[in-house]
Amino acid sequence: MAAATLTREGGEDAFRRLFRFYRQRDVSDLRGVVDFSVPGGQVFRSQLSVSSVSDQDAYRAGLQPVSQWKAYGLNGYPGFIFILNPFLPGCQRHWVKQCLKLYPQKPNVCNLDLHMAPEKTLDLWGQSKEQLKRKGSSKREPRSLLEKLRWVTLGYHYNWDTKKYSANHHTPFPSDLAFLSEQVAAACGFWGFQAQAGILNYYHFDSSLGIHVDESELDHSRPLLSFSFGQSSIFLLGGLKREEAPTAMFMHSGDIMVMSGFSRLLYHAVPRVLPNLEGTVLPSCLDQALSSDLPAGAVIEHSSDEDWQVCAKYLQSSRINMTIRQVLADGQKFPEESETNGMSQTFSEGGHHQQNKKAKRHKPSTD
């Protein structure tokens, strides 16, 4: 049955039917997937708050001036904003390196903590970089620890079992990522946004993210920000109920999604990761190195050729997604009962973010 027919059909779990359609490896007809690089139909141009972010602050975050961003909305999804890759040449490389080299480090939490002793996960980058650089195309080669990484949590660490955040399970949020998030939120009209929690998802060609809603944050008036790097994916955005068929859209390297207002609590999922649609191993936007002339106070750092070689090898078959959210409203505190969860956070095998039907299931992120 064609995707268009499935999209028109409502009824019991209409979302899951379309999820399964795009999850199939032999689906080659992607004409029903919204491509924001060729807007039309239900896509319209979205206005940004250009004056809210100075060109200097945009440069410091590795972004083009907001006046040059191409932002779009979708009819029927108020509060949803899609920003086509606004990063300056070479700046995506910084965030990829941070997600692979820095952010998985302790005291941050990752899925490997469930299976391995703490001392084994102290330096995933150091234990994986040589293996990644040598890696060929054979699927029989053992995976490095970085390739086994599925998620990392930052700031307030999400408890996958209780589906809650707590005051006691918190580590400092990365300052560079907080600055980036604040600029994007301000450009979308959300002044004073505080990046308090992050979930990083690491996808491969056989990965998916199940159908879910991001509702664990105590303040839903603030947006959820989603940044994608590496290979492309199909993203499904549904309604308030699973009976509503979702809209499928492409997410490419550098693209940013903002879910706010009505769209903040909608069902969504990632059924499939796709090879770069340009036909090259890596998207062309990742080809350029960072300029040697960085502005004063830039949060972007240069990556060494060796570091980028490792990152590029990883991205040949992978996609990285960063989702950033504000958990608490200004002056708000966690309910007292949640503080007992604290550092005794446990992890469970159940969840939606998985590699394939035979692989162990990992916890869903909020993509």
Side-chain angles (χ1 to χ4, degrees):
M1 189 177 296
T5 303
L6 288 172
T7 301
R8 288 193 299 268
E9 289 187 352
E12 186 176 353
D13 217 354
F15 198 129
R16 180 158 296 281
R17 289 201 300 272
L18 205 61
F19 180 94
R20 288 174 174 169
F21 175 83
Y22 284 115
R23 179 69 179 144
Q24 299 173 81
R25 312 313 300 174
D26 58 349
V27 171
S28 57
D29 186 357
L30 301 177
R31 288 175 295 178
V33 182
V34 174
D35 187 344
F36 288 93
S37 64
V38 285
Q42 68 184 113
V43 175
F44 61 89
R45 195 69 183 257
S46 182
Q47 297 299 313
L48 297 173
S49 182
V50 175
S51 62
S52 296
V53 179
S54 68
D55 290 355
Q56 181 70 8
D57 280 345
Y59 286 138
R60 289 177 60 203
L63 299 166
Q64 301 172 25
V66 177
S67 59
Q68 297 179 19
W69 294 11
K70 295 179 179 179
Y72 300 95
L74 278 175
N75 288 325
Y77 297 96
F80 176 78
I81 303 172
F82 192 103
I83 304 170
L84 281 175
N85 179 17
F87 289 94
L88 290 166
C91 290
Q92 288 188 54
R93 293 187 175 191
H94 169 84
W95 302 109
V96 172
K97 184 193 71 173
Q98 297 296 79
C99 287
L100 292 175
K101 186 175 183 178
L102 181 65
Y103 297 157
Q105 294 180 8
K106 299 298 173 245
N108 298 329
V109 181
C110 71
N111 64 288
L112 297 179
D113 297 327
L114 174 65
H115 307 286
M116 304 174 66
E119 60 271 16
K120 297 291 186 180
T121 61
L122 284 176
D123 186 14
L124 302 181
W125 175 270
Q127 297 181 68
S128 305
K129 61 181 182 179
E130 294 301 326
Q131 185 179 351
L132 269 173
K133 285 193 293 185
R134 294 192 306 267
K135 197 170 184 66
S137 58
S138 173
K139 294 183 179 180
R140 295 187 177 183
E141 293 183 57
R143 289 181 299 153
S144 64
L145 287 180
L146 274 180
E147 292 171 294
K148 296 179 181 179
L149 196 60
R150 292 291 169 265
W151 53 261
V152 169
T153 54
L154 310 171
Y156 287 114
H157 297 283
Y158 187 66
N159 187 317
W160 303 104
D161 290 327
T162 64
K163 294 181 170 57
K164 292 181 179 179
Y165 299 94
S166 66
N168 292 345
H169 201 194
H170 174 270
T171 56
F173 194 92
S175 59
D176 58 346
L177 184 51
F179 186 77
L180 169 69
S181 303
E182 289 160 8
Q183 308 317 306
V184 172
C188 294
F190 294 95
W191 303 276
F193 174 84
Q194 300 176 52
Q196 296 176 337
I199 300 179
L200 316 181
N201 273 319
Y202 302 80
Y203 297 87
H204 306 294
F205 285 140
D206 53 358
S207 300
S208 65
L209 179 71
I211 306 165
H212 68 284
V213 176
D214 294 304
E215 57 186 359
S216 298
E217 295 74 32
L218 276 65
D219 179 19
H220 295 153
S221 68
R222 308 305 260 172
L224 183 142
L225 312 179
S226 173
F227 303 84
S228 290
F229 305 106
Q231 301 298 325
S232 301
S233 71
I234 294 175
F235 179 80
L236 299 179
L237 182 62
L240 295 171
K241 299 179 180 180
R242 289 168 64 122
E243 289 79 8
E244 299 177 52
T247 296
M249 62 196 78
F250 289 117
M251 287 193 70
H252 302 305
S253 192
D255 290 344
I256 302 173
M257 288 194 317
V258 179
M259 297 174 67
S260 67
F262 171 80
S263 295
R264 177 63 178 79
L265 296 175
L266 298 182
Y267 280 99
H268 54 280
V270 178
R272 187 174 173 191
V273 176
L274 301 166
N276 174 32
L277 300 183
E278 298 172 345
T280 52
V281 176
L282 288 181
S284 57
C285 60
L286 294 172
D287 286 342
Q288 293 176 279
L290 188 62
S291 168
S292 58
D293 186 21
L294 294 175
V299 300
I300 302 294
E301 300 175 344
H302 288 98
S303 299
S304 67
D305 291 342
E306 180 186 16
D307 280 358
W308 179 244
Q309 183 183 357
V310 176
C311 293
K313 195 74 172 183
Y314 176 89
L315 289 182
Q316 286 182 8
S317 60
S318 304
R319 167 184 178 251
I320 298 173
N321 179 261
M322 309 187 302
T323 58
I324 315 302
R325 67 285 315 279
Q326 179 170 334
V327 177
L328 301 168
D330 293 343
Q332 188 178 22
K333 295 183 179 180
F334 288 100
E336 290 184 9
E337 61 269 20
S338 70
E339 298 189 13
T340 59
N341 294 327
M343 294 301 292
S344 64
Q345 175 188 21
T346 58
F347 304 94
S348 164
E349 291 280 5
H352 300 102
H353 185 189
Q354 55 183 337
Q355 271 197 278
N356 53 51
K357 293 180 180 178
K358 295 181 180 179
K360 288 184 177 179
R361 297 181 137 213
H362 296 284
K363 279 308 177 180
S365 139
T366 44
D367 195 337

